Structures are given as C-alpha cells and as structure tokens.
Amino acid sequence: ACGGGTSSDPAQTPDAPAPDAGGEAANNGEVRTFSFGYDQPQSTGYGIAGEIFREKLEELSGGKMTIAHYPGAQLGSEPEMLQKVRSGDIDFIISSTANATTVAEQSAVFSLHYIFEDEDHLARALADPEVTQALKDMFSESVTGAQVLSPMTLGLRNMYSKDEIQSVDDLNGKKIRVQATRTEDVHMPAYGAQTVHMAFGEVYTSLQTGVMDIAENGINVYLENKHYEVAPILSITQHAANNSVVWASDKVMESLTEEEREWVQAAADEVGKNQPKKALELEAESLAELEELGVKVVKEVDKSGFMEAAEPIQDQLAAEMGPHAEKILQLVRALR
Amino acid sequence: MSAGMIIGLMSFLFLFFGVIGVPVAFAIIASVLVATLFTEISLPSMVGQLFNGINSVPLMAVPFFLLAGELMASTNITERIIRLANSLVGHIRSGLAQVNTVFSLFFAGMSGSSTADVAAATRILAPQMKNEGYHPAFTAALIAATATLANIVPPSIMAIIYGASGGVSIIGIFLGGIIPGILIAGGFMVYCFFFQAPPIRKQRSTFVEISQAAKRAALPLMIPFIIMGGILSGWFTPTEAGMIAVVYTICVAIPVLKKSHLRHLHKDFMNAGVLYSVPLICVAAASAFGWMIAYLKAPEVVSGYIERFAGTNPILIMFLVILMFIVVGQFVDAVPAIIIFMPIVISLVELGNINPVHMGVIVIITLAFGLITPPYGLALLLASGLSKVRFKDALLQCLPMYGVFIITLTIVVFFPDTVLYLPKVFMPESVGCFVGPEGGYICP
Amino acid sequence: MSQKETIVSQQDRNLKWKAFDVLERILMILCGVAIAGFTLGVFLDVVTRSIGHPWLWLQEVTLGFFVYGIFLGASVAVRRNEHVILANTTENLRGASRVLLETFNRLVVLGVALSLLYFGYINFLHGFQSYLMPSMTPIAVLTVILPISGVLISLFTIEQLINGWKKGFHTHSMFEENKSDEEEMTG
Ligand code: NA
Ligand code: NA
C-alpha cells in the first residue's frame, strides 16, 4: 500500500540514469545527474521533497541538471549517508534533524517535545526565514564538507500501541521505542515511560511480540511501514516534530558555477516553501487511509500532562546543547 | 565508463580473484575497490562501508546461533540427540540414513549452522553407516544434504540476514521455514527408504527405550522451545534469543551433561571468535559490493528486465528469483548473496505483489540448496573432506537428492500456505494480517 | 581429532615465523574476549530492560565488541588460513606456476590490507566528526579497527610471502583432516 497523494509517478524507468559514474562532468550540453539519497520510500514526504527539488532544478537549468532518487536507504542509514555527503560521495541527501545530531549536536533542539503546538505552528516555524537562517548557521558552524540547503518536515510524531493513550498517565511503566537520542531519553522517563533503543528495522517485530509496548513516528511512516498491523491504535500525541533538512556536499557545490549554485539553492528553497504543506497533506491522507483500514485513532489526547512535564526539560536540554539551540528554541516559541 | 560496464568489471574481477584462490572476502573487497576507481566515490568511503555493513544489532544473532551449534557439537551433546533419533526411526528400512535425517531436523531447531551439523554427523554417524554397508560417498552426500535443514528450520542464520537486510519479519521467516523443512526431511526419508536400503534391519525400539532416549536428550531439546517460545511471547528479540541459546547451553546443558568440558570453554570462545568473523567479514565485503550495485542503479535495470519477461506474474517472478539465486549460489556464499541481491529482491517483491515472508523462505531454501551444489557447495565440500571421500563421488551420490529440493521449491511456490500457514496461526501480523476493529485478524 | 595443545594454529608452519605466534595468541584471546563481551552485553541488555532499569549506553558497547571481534577475527584468520575460498586452484599446481599464483593471490590480499590501512586511516580521521547516539562518542573509536586490521593482515601476508618464497608454498591439501575441520562458514 502506497501512501497515495503524490501527484508524480514514483516508479522509475528501468533505464533510470545513474549518477555520472566516470566523472566526465557535463560541460557541453550533456545532462548532469546528481545522486539524491534518503531513507524512506519514494512515496513519502522525502520523495515529495526530492521531486520538488528535481522539477525546479530541471526547470532552472533548462534540463541540464537533474537528480536520481535513491530512496529506501539504498545508500545507507541517515548517519551513514551524512558521512558520505560530507566526504562528497553522495551529492544530496535528506536527514532528519534527530539523526543530524550525529554530526551537529545542537540539531537535537528540533527534537525537543512540545515546542510546536500543532501542525500550523510547525508550518509557520519552517517558513520563517529567521529560523531557517539560525538553523543553517548552527549546521555550518559544526559541520565541514556539507551544507544545509533547506529545512523540511514529515509532520508531527505520534505514539502507537496496542492500547489507547488518552493522557500522560497511560505511559506509566510502558516500554517505548525511541530513536537513540538524549532528548528522548530525558523526555520519555519524565512521562513515566521506559525508553528502549532499537534499530528501526526491529520495531515491527518487537511491537508484535511485546518486547516493547509503544513506538512513535509520523503517520505516513506508521502507514508505509505497516506498523499498524502490530500496533493497531494510533494516539495523536503530537509530542515532537519530524523535521528534516536537505544537505548538499561541499564537493558538488564547489564544482558548480556561481549561476548553477543559485539554481540549486533556488530548487532547495522551493522544497522549503512547498514541501511542508504537501507533507502535512500526506499526513492527513494517511490518517484517512488508516481509519479506512480499521485502525483506531485517538484524536483527543489530553496533552496538558505531557506539556507540563516537557516545558522545563526544553530549557534545560537547550542550555546543555549550546547557544544556537537556545536561540532556535526562543525563535520557535516566539511564533506560537 | 558506463554503470553497466563498471558492474561487469566488478563482477568479473570478483570471479577472477575467487577462481584463482583469493579468499572470498578479499576477492569481493578487491573488486569493489578497483570498481570504485571508475566512479566518483572515494576509497576511504568504500572502506568505511565495510564497517557500516556489520555495524548492526540484528547481525549479532549470527555468532550466537553459530556458537550454540558449535558448543553442542564439540561437547558431544549432539550424540544424545542422535540416540533419540535412532530410537524413533532406527528400525525403518535404511535405518541409519533415516536417523541421520531426523537428527538433522532436531539439530536444525537448535542451531543455525549447517557446518556444525556436518561435523557432528560425520563424527558419530558416518563410521556406523560404513559398518552397516552404506557407501561412504552416499553417507557424505546425505549428511551434507540433510545439514541444509539447519538453515531452513528456525533458527536460521540466512533468515536473520534476510530479515535484517530486507526489513522483513525475522520471526515470520522462522515460522515459515518449518513446514518446508519438514517436507524436505520427508523427501530424504522417502528417497532413502526406496533407494538406499542395506540388508540390515533393526528392531523397533520399545516405548521405554524411546522415553529413556528422550529423557537423555531433553535438556538440549528444550532449546528450540526456549528460542521460539521466548520470541513469540515477547521476552526477547531474535538476536537476544540467540544469546539465550548460548547462555542456556553454557550454564545449563554443559554443566549437567558434560561438566568436564567447562575447562575447555575458553578455547571454544576463542575459536568461535574467529569462526564467526569469517562469514561476517564476507557480510562486510558484500555490503560494499551491494552498495556499489545500488549506487549504479542495477536493481532497477534487473527488475526492468524481469518485468519485461515475466510481467507481474508472481509465480513466474518467483521461479526467476529461484533461478537467479541458483546461479548466484554457485559462486557466492549465501550470506553475501542475500545482501548483494536484496535491493533487487525487494523491487521484485513489489512488482509481483508477493508476500515478503513467502519470498524470503523461497530464497533461503534456494540458497540452502546451494550448500550442496558445485563448485561452491560448502556443506558438501566439508562433508566429503571430513569423510575423506572424493568430492566428485559425493556429488554423484548427491544428484538424486537435488530432486527433493526441486520438488519442495515447486510446491512452496505454488502453495504459499506451506510457508504462510504457521505464521498466520502463531503470529498473524508477521505476514501482513492485522487486528480488525471488531477483533479477530484480517488477512490480505 | 586430537585436542590441540596450543591455541595457535599449527597449520602451514613452513609459512610462519615463530615470533608472530605471540601475536596470534594475543589476537585469539581478544577474539574470545570480544565474543564473551557481546554475549554478556546482550544478556545485560535483556536483564536491565526486564527489571525496568535499562542501561541505554549498553548497546553501543556491545556493538563495539561485535565489530572489533569481526575485524580482529578476520585478521587472525589470515594467518590461520581459515578464510573461505571459492576454489583451491593453487593446490593443484607445482613449481613456478604455483609460486607465481600464490604470490599474486597474496599480493591481492596485501593490496586490500594496505587499502584498509591507508584509506581506513583517513576514514578513521573523518570519524571524529560523527558521533554515536546517544552517548555522542566519536564513531572513530569504532572505525579505528579498520586500519588496525589493515596492519595485522599486512603483517601476516608479508610473513607468508617471504616464507613462501624461501621455503616453498606447498602446504597440506585442503581436505586433510585438521584444516577442513576448521574450514567453517555460515552454513
Ligand atoms: Na544429517
Ligand atoms: Na536452524
């Protein structure tokens, strides 16, 4: 079952272009194909971002520059791809801001819980030029070899389980699978839950057998990976954002002319401008599809207990992370 | 150089290095590094990919299930299982051949290692079979062929690699392999019954004898139940189940059954440390090879060809996959083969709308079959080596047994429920069923 | 099969220097420590999770033992000649062609080992800017094993090359008892 809702046909033709293998860069009328890697299927918000980027880049370059999608972690997990984009072996990638902490610790500020009140607030924050600039500054200070071109999102994260989560009390004593980050390890115990670190690929089986009770992710991710089969109740906790960033390797940017670099940046800006709206639409469509499949959705979660526990942690963790994180936190809060 | 030419060069170099005797892992790495020179990928990055390929929690199950099998083989705990098999089927026509098969079926439930099975059976059963007049080449062939069950019946190292690299439910593949494993064991028993009977016939064991043998084998026989029960009830993941099998063997089975062995345990650990690194360095190498294949867009080209040839007919696609892995299995060990070709398999599963667990079990049976086909039939090489018969002779004796695999594979392709029935009963979610709003499971 | 007195492999003595036996012994011990280490790590992971006090950093340590063990084991397996081969082509050759092919094969291995050493070292340096989650330890603490195994494999390959040229490459045939006993693979 595909997520549905993407306008373009995600299927690649058998003779889809591989990136310039021989290094014979395209100067004279040849098409230059860049590698564009991400770790979700092409039918997700990541694929949407790639398609927006491709269309705009082809348009601006008059068809001389394009990308080849590498969906589904074909080129590695996000931390692995982050290393490869920095060494210039992949031209462009998408990584979540959570996994970007493997190269820039302060990126974790976007994983703090309940800093975005709702999807609307999230969309405003990502569209805000000051937030984008602060984000870019933060990454350019810590990361060499690659640069962030634009923020994007897969929406907000929700919890799913075999049981309903109506309020923070329902987390008490439960084992929840989280990404192996400090933010999760501090927030979740504050709700009374025990965190379990587990590779994404193991989540399905572990939910199924009960090694853990709860997992949390975006709605479309929940649908695409069929986690509803093993955790058929989705509770709209919206506790954190699923934000991501588009990266370019310095190597590829330096190989471009000034004008070409502007095209690339303009194509990425297009992602920042249009992707969040489309991704949030996809989330809504996925939710409808899940309900049609018979998944039970708890829409009216009482978030107050969660928020009370989260608020002091936000300041504490942002201070631990550093000045960029504190600045971004304040900018996001100001947009409430 | 075009992408296709680079893939061609890389594959040629791997085969060339392999054929002239470079160890497989090094042949793979060397071919990848040479191919890297023709791309824009940097060499430090490809060397780093070796690390990425094994930096994975699910892969830790591999040494556990190897170690559990080796520990039991080296402590002669396996002998107790052979005695039990003997009391159950030793009286049937071709008695010891039947015992061999039944032993492998039991042993398969405890270990994911076909080589441990070969080692144990050759040590204990081969001399007895020779005394009763079986041809040593036949014995070697049967030991090798039945040892493939270790990878089909859970726990299976191939299933772990397949599930970990393909994002498929490992427990689903575990459960799915049980019935095909029993079918294959049954096939061997029938073949031995009709075609390999020496004149000796033994008496049926009495109920008392059987229950005594069962009691003596009870401790090791608990292992399959601990593994499958523990996973199914959510106590631990498949990786952790492997660890439990090792801890159980060391802390319960060996102290009770062969206490004197505890003094040698540190040697077992050191040897096992090398033992598991050998296949896993192949995993590391294969993941670099697979990365390059994906980077050069080979999966899309191959599934494009297959789509042109087979359309979206699942049966045809499955037979093409079997064919592909039979060919590949001639040259590459099962573990790297799974990793290298996983991107292609994933696109074909989508193309034919095939259940991923069904496809996984088919691939695993095919690759297990590869353990007894030349030139790289590892189990057959090992069995003929250990029993000191010529590989050629063992191979000739093995040929009729290929029929068992071919028939089983055909049945499994045409009747998906031979694979999916047990997962549907014990773990419906693993094959795509889920709890409906009214309770009860909805299966596609 | 006779119980071996020492953990050092007695195969192909003609290709080995006595002095390197110590290195092999140390590596074998480290391999044993590695597998014991990650067995214990996974065990404690289950236990601490079950009693509600998980050690969240444990998985990083466990994976460290696992990864180190693989590369150390793969290195010592070169000296012990325990790596899986596709075909034992050289066994059937005699004289100059044998020497030529044995040399060529080991040069391929040496090339791979030197790549592990040099490019692995560069990769290790890159690893100081990537961190393991959640402890935020540089991943270089794990990837350092690549150049280390490059050094070890280079040493063992050079050992075999020099001894092979001096004393000849002829070793036991692949199917003689001891060796094939250890010719293990996934199976
Ligand atoms: Na057997
Ligand atoms: Na097994």
Side-chain angles (χ1 to χ4, degrees):
Chain A
C2 283
T6 47
S7 50
S8 57
D9 177 16
Q12 296 240 347
T13 53
D15 23 53
D20 314 315
E24 65 264 48
N27 317 331
N28 18 2
E30 262 182 83
V31 178
R32 188 159 173 200
T33 305
F34 300 108
S35 49
F36 191 104
Y38 46 90
D39 84 342
Q40 291 286 325
Q42 201 172 337
S43 53
T44 63
Y46 279 7
I48 295 177
E51 276 303 285
I52 294 174
F53 188 78
R54 183 184 64 77
E55 279 167 21
K56 193 69 183 176
L57 190 61
E58 284 179 4
E59 179 198 318
L60 291 173
S61 67
K64 280 201 291 190
M65 292 158 79
T66 187
I67 59 154
H69 287 263
Y70 286 94
Q74 284 178 32
L75 300 185
S77 66
E78 287 189 352
E80 288 163 13
M81 282 195 290
L82 277 162
Q83 293 191 44
K84 286 202 162 65
V85 76
R86 285 177 47 228
S87 56
D89 295 306
I90 310 179
D91 300 324
F92 298 95
I93 67 159
I94 300 172
S95 88
S96 69
T97 51
N99 277 323
T101 55
T102 60
V103 293
E105 205 175 344
Q106 300 189 55
S107 172
V109 67
F110 263 178
S111 302
L112 292 174
H113 285 196
Y114 291 105
I115 60 170
F116 302 102
E117 286 193 317
D118 49 27
E119 289 187 339
D120 204 44
H121 181 205
L122 173 64
R124 277 203 308 280
L126 291 180
D128 187 77
E130 264 188 281
V131 173
T132 302
Q133 193 53 49
L135 198 64
K136 284 188 177 180
D137 290 345
M138 183 265 290
F139 280 117
S140 72
E141 192 185 279
S142 344
V143 182
T144 56
Q147 48 194 280
V148 161
L149 297 180
S150 161
M152 49 176 277
T153 192
L154 295 178
L156 294 168
R157 297 173 82 91
N158 301 294
M159 297 180 193
Y160 46 90
S161 168
K162 291 189 165 86
D163 303 302
E164 294 184 16
I165 297 161
Q166 298 280 4
S167 74
V168 71
D169 297 334
D170 293 325
L171 254 60
N172 205 8
K174 293 286 174 63
K175 280 177 288 197
I176 183 165
R177 180 268 171 182
V178 293
Q179 293 171 292
T181 60
R182 175 151 164 74
T183 49
E184 302 303 318
D185 288 343
V186 177
H187 274 297
M188 289 302 180
Y191 309 143
Q194 175 188 328
T195 55
V196 179
H197 294 173
M198 200 164 271
F200 185 74
E202 281 189 291
V203 172
Y204 185 99
T205 313
S206 302
L207 276 172
Q208 182 177 40
T209 60
V211 167
M212 72 226 177
D213 310 303
I214 307 171
E216 47 89 57
N217 222 311
I219 299 171
N220 181 249
V221 175
Y222 172 65
L223 172 72
E224 283 284 337
N225 292 282
K226 304 201 170 161
H227 286 180
Y228 60 86
E229 292 169 1
V230 289
I233 300 178
L234 174 67
S235 302
I236 308 297
T237 49
Q238 303 192 316
H239 53 279
N242 232 350
N243 292 337
S244 319
V245 282
V246 181
W247 294 84
S249 78
D250 285 353
K251 188 178 159 200
V252 79
M253 292 302 266
E254 280 158 16
S255 76
L256 301 175
T257 66
E258 186 64 37
E259 188 190 26
E260 288 169 333
R261 263 200 291 275
E262 277 166 22
W263 293 340
V264 167
Q265 184 57 57
D269 289 343
E270 195 76 5
V271 173
K273 207 160 68 191
N274 294 332
Q275 189 273 349
K277 192 170 136 267
K278 286 195 177 178
L280 292 175
E281 278 168 19
L282 181 61
E283 289 288 284
E285 282 166 22
S286 306
L287 189 65
E289 194 173 328
L290 284 163
E291 285 185 301
E292 218 164 279
L293 278 167
V295 169
K296 177 158 192 189
V297 182
V298 181
K299 284 184 175 152
E300 301 301 323
V301 178
D302 175 14
K303 295 195 223 164
S304 60
F306 288 104
M307 287 174 160
E308 249 166 62
E311 183 101 18
I313 295 174
Q314 294 171 359
D315 292 292
Q316 177 212 329
L317 286 181
E320 267 178 34
M321 288 172 209
H324 288 286
E326 286 185 290
K327 184 180 174 197
I328 292 169
L329 177 62
Q330 297 316 325
L331 286 172
V332 169
R333 277 180 179 166
L335 288 167
R336 269 185 198 170
Chain B
M1 234 200 247
S2 76
M5 284 167 73
I6 298 173
I7 294 176
L9 173 73
M10 188 164 70
S11 310
F12 168 77
L13 282 176
F14 161 61
L15 286 179
F16 173 71
F17 290 143
V19 165
I20 64 168
V22 176
V24 172
F26 292 93
I28 298 177
I29 299 172
S31 65
V32 173
L33 293 180
V34 172
T36 304
L37 297 173
F38 296 93
T39 68
E40 289 190 344
I41 302 298
S42 66
L43 287 162
S45 177
M46 283 320 287
V47 169
Q49 191 60 33
L50 297 173
F51 169 82
N52 294 340
I54 48 160
N55 187 24
S56 145
V57 172
L59 280 186
M60 280 198 288
V62 173
F64 291 144
F65 287 124
L66 276 177
L67 184 56
E70 296 298 326
L71 280 172
M72 276 182 284
S74 83
T75 53
N76 281 354
I77 287 178
T78 41
E79 201 172 342
R80 291 163 183 267
I81 301 160
I82 290 177
R83 290 235 178 89
L84 174 63
N86 202 1
S87 76
L88 288 172
V89 294
H91 62 282
I92 303 176
R93 222 168 101 100
S94 314
L96 276 178
Q98 312 290 8
V99 170
N100 196 331
T101 308
V102 171
F103 157 70
S104 288
L105 197 58
F106 284 152
F107 191 70
M110 300 164 211
S111 147
S113 163
S114 295
T115 50
D117 176 309
V118 171
T122 310
R123 198 142 57 224
I124 305 165
L125 276 172
Q128 298 178 24
M129 287 178 75
K130 196 173 177 190
N131 286 343
E132 289 196 5
Y134 292 89
H135 195 289
F138 165 78
T139 304
L142 182 68
I143 285 174
T146 51
T148 61
L149 288 170
N151 264 298
I152 299 168
V153 173
S156 144
I157 285 167
M158 290 183 196
I160 292 160
I161 304 276
Y162 192 94
S165 61
V168 183
S169 165
I170 293 173
I171 182 69
I173 305 180
F174 273 10
L175 288 166
I178 293 177
I179 293 179
I182 292 172
L183 284 178
I184 289 172
F188 288 136
M189 292 182 76
V190 170
Y191 171 71
C192 293
F193 185 89
F194 285 109
F195 300 103
Q196 290 296 335
I200 299 174
R201 286 296 291 275
K202 273 163 285 180
Q203 270 206 309
R204 184 188 288 270
S205 300
T206 64
F207 181 75
V208 175
E209 283 166 338
I210 293 176
S211 50
Q212 268 171 352
K215 208 167 131 195
R216 286 175 47 83
L219 274 181
L221 276 181
M222 298 269 286
I223 292 176
F225 295 97
I226 296 174
I227 292 174
M228 294 308 286
I231 298 174
L232 289 171
S233 61
W235 291 339
F236 30 75
T237 64
T239 309
E240 293 161 355
M243 176 275 296
I244 298 282
V246 170
V247 170
Y248 176 85
T249 308
I250 292 173
C251 296
V252 180
I254 296 179
V256 175
L257 302 178
K258 190 137 202 267
K259 203 166 173 198
S260 61
H261 189 79
L262 286 175
R263 269 181 295 126
H264 305 292
L265 213 54
H266 64 284
K267 273 190 188 164
D268 281 345
F269 268 80
M270 287 190 259
N271 285 319
V274 182
L275 182 69
Y276 86 91
S277 70
V278 170
L280 284 169
I281 202 72
C282 291
V283 169
S287 83
F289 199 101
W291 192 94
M292 192 55 93
I293 288 214
Y295 179 74
L296 296 172
K297 292 274 174 199
E300 280 156 34
V301 176
V302 172
S303 57
Y305 282 136
I306 291 194
E307 185 171 9
R308 252 172 259 165
F309 184 76
T312 56
N313 179 341
I315 304 249
L316 220 48
I317 289 177
M318 281 188 270
F319 276 117
L320 283 173
V321 167
I322 290 173
L323 201 66
M324 178 171 88
F325 276 101
I326 285 181
V327 173
V328 168
Q330 306 305 306
F331 305 105
V332 189
D333 183 56
V335 166
I338 290 171
I339 294 170
I340 292 172
F341 288 89
M342 188 49 89
I344 294 175
V345 173
I346 288 174
S347 54
L348 291 177
V349 162
E350 283 169 14
L351 184 66
N353 195 18
I354 301 162
N355 188 303
V357 170
H358 189 198
M359 181 65 109
V361 172
I362 286 172
V363 169
I364 288 163
I365 299 173
T366 310
L367 286 171
F369 179 31
L371 290 169
I372 54 166
T373 57
Y376 190 60
L378 206 66
L380 197 59
L381 278 172
L382 186 60
S384 56
L386 289 178
S387 350
K388 301 201 180 62
V389 296
R390 292 223 312 253
F391 181 70
K392 221 173 17 189
D393 299 337
L395 180 62
L396 275 175
Q397 291 287 339
C398 210
L399 286 177
M401 303 182 200
Y402 289 4
V404 173
F405 278 92
I406 292 164
I407 292 168
T408 308
L409 276 168
T410 310
I411 292 173
V412 168
V413 166
F414 279 103
F415 303 98
D417 266 347
T418 48
V419 172
L420 299 178
Y421 177 74
L422 287 179
K424 273 182 189 163
V425 170
F426 287 103
M427 187 116 299
E429 300 92 339
S430 64
V431 286
C433 310
F434 70 102
V435 183
E438 313 297 324
Y441 281 97
I442 303 172
C443 291
Chain C
M1 191 179 77
S2 62
Q3 192 74 42
K4 274 171 241 148
E5 282 304 307
T6 164
I7 197 67
V8 175
S9 163
Q10 296 306 305
Q11 283 293 298
D12 311 338
R13 282 310 311 183
N14 56 325
L15 292 180
K16 293 174 183 177
W17 286 317
K18 198 95 190 120
F20 276 17
D21 282 2
V22 177
L23 189 55
E24 181 176 334
R25 190 187 310 274
I26 294 172
L27 286 172
M28 289 304 286
I29 292 170
L30 290 178
C31 283
V33 169
I35 193 168
F38 71 76
T39 307
L40 189 67
V42 176
F43 180 72
L44 290 176
D45 202 23
V46 175
V47 170
T48 58
R49 186 182 69 219
S50 304
I51 61 172
H53 295 281
W55 294 350
L56 293 169
W57 44 268
L58 200 58
Q59 218 166 62
E60 286 172 52
V61 179
T62 309
L63 263 177
F65 276 116
F66 179 61
V67 169
Y68 271 51
I70 291 170
F71 279 97
L72 292 177
S75 307
V76 77
V78 170
R79 187 170 204 254
R80 298 165 68 86
N81 201 2
E82 288 181 3
H83 276 287
V84 182
I85 54 172
L86 194 61
N88 54 334
T89 314
T90 55
E91 304 282 330
N92 307 322
L93 297 175
R94 291 283 172 275
S97 51
R98 169 87 186 244
V99 173
L100 202 70
L101 204 58
E102 294 271 13
T103 303
F104 181 83
N105 289 354
R106 285 185 173 81
L107 287 178
V108 173
V109 175
L110 187 61
V112 169
L114 293 174
S115 304
L116 278 174
L117 169 54
Y118 180 69
F119 300 114
Y121 179 69
I122 298 174
N123 181 64
F124 158 71
L125 294 181
H126 289 322
F128 281 100
Q129 289 165 303
S130 293
Y131 305 96
L132 295 164
M133 294 195 294
S135 71
M136 291 294 155
T137 317
I139 200 167
V141 301
L142 295 184
T143 52
V144 69
I145 196 64
L146 291 169
I148 290 176
S149 76
V151 171
L152 294 168
I153 296 169
S154 301
L155 288 177
F156 295 145
T157 311
I158 291 168
E159 177 189 24
Q160 290 171 2
L161 273 174
I162 293 177
N163 282 309
W165 289 331
K166 276 201 220 149
K167 305 174 200 163
F169 282 100
H170 181 77
T171 57
H172 305 276
S173 126
M174 180 176 171
F175 292 130
E176 271 168 34
E177 190 179 12
N178 293 333
K179 172 127 158 262
S180 42
D181 214 353
E182 288 159 358
E183 199 74 31
E184 302 281 6
M185 182 61 186
T186 29

